[in-house]
Amino acid sequence: CEFEFGGKHVSLTASFGIAGFCGKAKAPTFQGLMAQADKALYAAKRTGGNRVEVHVESEAPALQPQR
């Protein structure tokens, strides 16, 4: 996002890391959840920034391609 502010050109980007859990996965501690969100945030920055990365703990089976 680019705009003028106070007579100056400003360029702004945002990167977010989101963490969660679902299904029958054991609920993580607050610290564990924050650590996963932090890893997701740095993954977003590493891949170019200005994006959202999500990490979700799940015990659901991995999706398999259908034939």
Side-chain angles (χ1 to χ4, degrees), residues 1-2 11-16 41 43-53:
C1 175
E2 297 182 10
S11 179
L12 178 69
T13 65
S15 297
F16 297 91
L41 170 62
K45 290 181 176 186
R46 227 181 5 261
T47 55
N50 209 27
R51 57 183 289 129
V52 176
E53 287 287 330

Side-chain angles (χ1 to χ4, degrees), residues 2-66:
E2 297 182 10
F3 58 95
E4 294 284 327
F5 182 77
K8 295 186 179 184
H9 181 79
V10 178
S11 179
L12 178 69
T13 65
S15 297
F16 297 91
I18 299 173
F21 67 99
C22 66
K24 296 180 181 178
K26 181 180 176 188
T29 64
F30 176 77
Q31 290 82 6
L33 201 57
M34 292 302 291
Q36 293 298 333
D38 193 51
K39 287 179 185 178
L41 170 62
Y42 282 97
K45 290 181 176 186
R46 227 181 5 261
T47 55
N50 209 27
R51 57 183 289 129
V52 176
E53 287 287 330
V54 179
H55 175 83
V56 177
E57 291 287 331
S58 174
E59 289 183 0
L63 295 176
Q64 300 295 322
Q66 295 199 355

